[in-house]
Amino acid sequence: MVKELSYSTISYVVDTWELAKQKPAFDEIVGSMIMKRLFQQEPRTKTVFGFSAADDFETCKRAQIALLIHSKRMIFMLDAAMSMLGPDADLLTEVLSGLGKRHIQYGVKAAYMPYMGVAIIGALRQVLGENVWNSDIEEAWSIVYEELSTD
């Protein structure tokens, strides 16, 4: 069950998410940044997405296309979760439970989840820049990601 989060925590996360979404080609660019960061931190996660360890996203067209597809799906999922933060906690819990079960079937291990959180936060920090990103936002994203990725 997703616990109740403070108004300020939800506000920081939703506001920065909406700000990041205004960037051109957000889903492709930020999604790819997140995926590449994840693969750099934990190379074994590549196989969960159907990539081999040797797939090169800079030179292999097939890998680039597949990365964009996965990136867009991941951003769509994150966007849906952001829209349910707060008043829709019960629905969000239900959605995340189903998503978690599917991810287990795909081979996602609980140990991979912290890497995804670091990848998401790092990509958003980079995209939004130091003029927007601060320690309060970082903490809010850490709290929300931890809450959404556990259970």
Side-chain angles (χ1 to χ4, degrees):
M1 175 90 174
V2 175
K3 73 177 183 182
E4 191 170 319
L5 300 165
S6 75
Y7 175 79
S8 63
T9 297
I10 292 171
S11 234
Y12 279 132
V13 169
V14 171
D15 290 350
T16 52
W17 180 255
E18 291 300 321
L19 188 60
K21 281 176 41 180
Q22 295 175 15
K23 304 291 182 183
F26 168 77
D27 57 346
E28 293 179 8
I29 293 170
V30 177
S32 294
M33 287 172 65
I34 292 168
M35 301 295 284
K36 288 177 181 178
R37 284 172 179 264
L38 173 65
F39 299 153
Q40 287 172 342
Q41 293 176 75
E42 180 48 88
R44 293 177 295 177
T45 60
K46 286 176 88 171
T47 60
V48 172
F49 293 93
F51 298 111
S52 73
D55 279 336
D56 182 353
F57 302 112
E58 304 306 319
T59 60
C60 177
K61 194 67 164 169
R62 180 201 56 80
Q64 291 171 353
I65 292 168
L67 180 69
L68 284 178
I69 291 167
H70 286 301
S71 298
K72 287 182 174 191
R73 286 180 183 158
M74 189 251 321
I75 292 295
F76 179 79
M77 178 208 60
L78 283 171
D79 194 45
M82 294 302 107
S83 72
M84 289 183 251
L85 281 177
D88 293 328
D90 291 338
L91 177 59
L92 181 56
T93 298
E94 187 177 319
V95 168
L96 291 175
S97 176
L99 185 65
K101 288 175 185 171
R102 283 194 309 278
H103 277 75
I104 289 169
Q105 293 173 343
Y106 300 147
V108 174
K109 295 177 176 30
Y112 297 163
M113 299 312 291
Y115 296 109
M116 179 59 91
V118 170
I120 292 168
I121 291 169
L124 290 170
R125 182 187 317 114
Q126 181 180 341
V127 166
L128 293 173
E130 61 187 40
N131 291 334
V132 172
W133 198 266
N134 61 42
S135 60
D136 292 333
I137 292 168
E138 180 107 11
E139 181 180 4
W141 269 98
S142 294
I143 290 167
V144 168
Y145 183 79
E146 176 70 21
E147 187 59 33
L148 297 181
S149 66
T150 57
D151 200 343

